[in-house]
């Protein structure tokens, strides 16, 4: 029986590698972003992508949705968007003389919230409520959202005029904030060659179904993490709250608030997913360190002194990883 389960698990792990290959047919050099999006999908976490325009954030999410046999909706956030445009509303049917529910685009498995910082707080709150509660209330009725439910939100760090930045407390609801960087020279050359060919058209195959996603979630849930590494996770989290206790006095003056308990949960799940992607059923310290910046950086709130001195949350997390030891 164990042999059969191991074979099935190996087949699912192979499918994950196929997902990377299929997305790579369209998107060049963004394996890191795809990796983080899949971690979110398989661990029920939502992902916030930040990067300058033109780095294929939207294209990557679109392509990934094609590779997965899941319902997909893209929502372009604009200043005039209303919560009803997102979740739906009640519409009067003149023929029946009754109000009927018209469900909004949030009723899908994968939601791409494009430029989420371009909409007012009410719209952002409606999206974040559906992320947290996995349900939507329209009129007097509450509707459960389909599973899996994954929100991938993008925001541009440039052109901030007329935008509505997500409040720090709400950004915490995203499992990871992924910074998308420029491509290497070789990758950008390949992108240019592909896109300069106006006949470029690649057929994408569907690799994973809903059943596969749920089975992979069960596999990741079965990945083991030792007690010493669990305690290491907690030490990392507490180092953001009490930096002086961990020999981080130089950064203590910059940290206004440390991370919330959501951070330790997200670190645990993301590390398990990384181990599973590497075809291991146990977590190594390297798995935790690999995802620490993505999980912790957007949850740390720095003060104005940090901004004046050019200190970023990434700097703080990297300093914590160097200082906090793993206890045996």
């Amino acid at each position: 029986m164990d042999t059969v389960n191991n074979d099935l698990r190996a087949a699912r792990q192979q499918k994950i590698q196929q997902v990377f290959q299929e997305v790579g047919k369209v998107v060049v050099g963004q394996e890191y972003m795809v990796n983080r999006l899949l971690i979110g999908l398989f661990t029920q976490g939502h992902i916030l992508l930040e990067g300058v325009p033109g780095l294929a954030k939207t294209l990557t999410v679109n392509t990934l949705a094609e590779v997965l046999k899941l319902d997909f909706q893209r929502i372009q956030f604009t200043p005039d968007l209303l919560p009803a445009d997102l979740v739906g509303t009640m519409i009067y049917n003149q023929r029946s003389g009754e109000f009927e529910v018209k469900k909004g685009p949030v009723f899908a498995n994968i939601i791409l919230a494009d430029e989420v910082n371009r909409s007012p707080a009410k719209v952002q709150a409606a999206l974040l409520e559906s992320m947290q509660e996995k349900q939507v209330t329209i009129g007097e009725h509450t509707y459960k959202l389909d599973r899996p439910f994954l929100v991938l939100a993008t925001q541009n760090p440039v052109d901030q005029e007329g935008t509505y930045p997500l409040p720090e407390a709400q950004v915490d609801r995203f499992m990871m904030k992924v910074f998308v960087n420029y491509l290497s020279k070789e990758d950008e050359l390949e992108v240019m060659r592909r896109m300069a060919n106006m006949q470029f058209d690649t057929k994408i195959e569907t690799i994973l179904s809903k059943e596969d996603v749920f089975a992979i979630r069960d596999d990741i849930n079965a990945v083991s993490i030792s007690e010493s590494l669990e305690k290491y996770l907690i030490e990392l989290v507490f180092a953001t709250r009490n930096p002086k206790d961990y020999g981080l006095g130089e950064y203590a003056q910059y940290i206004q608030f440390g991370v919330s308990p959501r951070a330790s949960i997200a670190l645990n799940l993301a590390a398990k997913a990384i181990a599973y992607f590497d075809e291991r059923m146990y977590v190594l310290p390297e798995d935790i360190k690999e995802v620490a910046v993505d999980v912790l950086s957007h949850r740390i709130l720095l003060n104005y002194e940090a901004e004046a001195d050019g200190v970023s949350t990434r700097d703080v997390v990297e300093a914590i990883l160097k200082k906090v030891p793993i206890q045996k």
Side-chain angles (χ1 to χ4, degrees), residues 61-97:
V61 177
N62 271 319
T63 308
L64 184 62
E66 285 186 48
V67 176
L68 307 170
K69 199 173 183 180
L70 299 172
D71 292 332
F72 170 72
Q73 287 284 355
R74 176 181 178 272
I75 307 166
Q76 179 64 54
F77 278 60
T78 56
D80 60 348
L81 202 69
L82 298 173
D85 298 326
L86 198 69
V87 301
T89 187
M90 304 287 289
I91 291 179
Y92 183 70
N93 187 328
Q94 289 184 322
R95 184 173 297 174
S96 64

Side-chain angles (χ1 to χ4, degrees), residues 23-69:
V23 175
K25 289 180 181 178
V26 176
V27 182
V28 178
Q30 294 294 6
E31 292 83 3
Y32 178 84
M33 189 192 342
V34 176
N35 178 285
R36 294 327 190 234
L37 295 179
L38 288 176
I39 289 175
L41 176 67
F42 297 138
T43 60
Q44 305 184 71
H46 307 288
I47 309 295
L48 181 61
L49 300 172
E50 183 171 294
V52 297
L55 294 182
K57 298 185 294 295
T58 304
L59 178 64
T60 302
V61 177
N62 271 319
T63 308
L64 184 62
E66 285 186 48
V67 176
L68 307 170
K69 199 173 183 180

Side-chain angles (χ1 to χ4, degrees), residues 70-73 75 83-89 101-111 127 130 134-138 141-151 210:
L70 299 172
D71 292 332
F72 170 72
Q73 287 284 355
I75 307 166
D85 298 326
L86 198 69
V87 301
T89 187
V101 172
K102 180 174 174 57
K103 293 181 178 179
V106 79
F107 286 89
N109 298 120
I110 298 180
I111 305 294
L127 176 68
S130 62
K134 303 290 194 302
Q135 64 183 29
V136 168
T137 301
I138 304 173
H141 300 282
T142 299
Y143 301 89
K144 292 284 186 185
L145 294 170
D146 194 15
R147 304 293 177 96
F149 179 68
L150 174 66
V151 172
K210 275 187 189 180

Side-chain angles (χ1 to χ4, degrees), residues 4-292:
V4 173
N5 288 336
N6 290 339
D7 289 343
L8 289 172
R9 186 169 64 236
R12 287 192 286 269
Q13 288 170 325
Q14 187 60 40
K15 282 187 176 183
I16 292 174
Q17 299 308 315
Q18 288 178 274
V19 168
F20 282 100
Q21 292 167 11
E22 285 299 310
V23 175
K25 289 180 181 178
V26 176
V27 182
V28 178
Q30 294 294 6
E31 292 83 3
Y32 178 84
M33 189 192 342
V34 176
N35 178 285
R36 294 327 190 234
L37 295 179
L38 288 176
I39 289 175
L41 176 67
F42 297 138
T43 60
Q44 305 184 71
H46 307 288
I47 309 295
L48 181 61
L49 300 172
E50 183 171 294
V52 297
L55 294 182
K57 298 185 294 295
T58 304
L59 178 64
T60 302
V61 177
N62 271 319
T63 308
L64 184 62
E66 285 186 48
V67 176
L68 307 170
K69 199 173 183 180
L70 299 172
D71 292 332
F72 170 72
Q73 287 284 355
R74 176 181 178 272
I75 307 166
Q76 179 64 54
F77 278 60
T78 56
D80 60 348
L81 202 69
L82 298 173
D85 298 326
L86 198 69
V87 301
T89 187
M90 304 287 289
I91 291 179
Y92 183 70
N93 187 328
Q94 289 184 322
R95 184 173 297 174
S96 64
E98 296 178 347
F99 282 94
E100 297 177 351
V101 172
K102 180 174 174 57
K103 293 181 178 179
V106 79
F107 286 89
N109 298 120
I110 298 180
I111 305 294
L112 172 58
D114 223 349
E115 297 189 293
V116 69
N117 57 332
R118 294 218 169 270
S119 282
K122 276 188 178 180
V123 180
Q124 293 176 1
L127 176 68
L128 292 160
E129 181 186 2
S130 62
M131 287 165 50
Q132 188 70 21
E133 310 300 334
K134 303 290 194 302
Q135 64 183 29
V136 168
T137 301
I138 304 173
E140 297 178 355
H141 300 282
T142 299
Y143 301 89
K144 292 284 186 185
L145 294 170
D146 194 15
R147 304 293 177 96
F149 179 68
L150 174 66
V151 172
L152 308 172
T154 71
Q155 62 179 14
N156 297 328
V158 298
D159 188 24
Q160 292 298 323
E161 188 176 345
T163 62
Y164 305 83
L166 288 165
E168 285 80 1
Q170 293 183 5
V171 172
D172 185 45
R173 298 192 186 191
F174 287 95
M175 179 186 189
M176 290 190 281
K177 182 177 182 180
V178 181
F179 293 92
V180 185
N181 293 317
Y182 286 111
L183 300 173
S184 66
K185 290 180 182 178
E186 293 77 12
D187 287 338
E188 187 134 355
L189 179 62
E190 178 60 25
V191 169
M192 183 186 70
R193 285 172 175 165
R194 283 191 189 185
M195 295 305 151
N197 177 9
M198 290 185 283
Q199 294 182 337
F200 174 76
D201 183 24
T202 303
K203 293 287 185 287
I204 299 295
E205 292 182 23
T206 301
I207 304 296
L208 294 177
S209 64
K210 275 187 189 180
E211 291 72 24
D212 290 324
V213 172
F214 293 133
I216 290 170
R217 281 185 178 178
D218 290 340
D219 288 344
I220 291 174
N221 200 42
V223 173
S224 64
I225 179 168
S226 66
E227 187 177 348
S228 65
L229 287 182
E230 285 180 331
K231 290 179 178 177
Y232 175 59
L233 287 177
I234 300 302
E235 294 296 325
L236 291 176
V237 166
F238 271 73
T240 68
R241 302 172 189 168
N242 308 300
K244 287 182 180 177
D245 297 346
Y246 294 83
L248 292 157
E250 58 188 307
Y251 289 100
Q253 59 179 322
Y254 299 126
I255 300 175
Q256 192 170 350
F257 292 104
V259 301
S260 75
R262 287 191 183 113
S264 52
I265 299 167
L267 263 179
N268 186 309
L269 289 170
K272 285 182 178 180
I274 289 288
Y276 182 76
F277 289 175
D278 286 345
E279 301 183 9
R280 280 182 283 106
M281 293 303 287
Y282 54 89
V283 174
L284 295 174
E286 290 75 19
D287 301 327
I288 298 168
K289 292 175 181 178
E290 184 176 336
V291 294

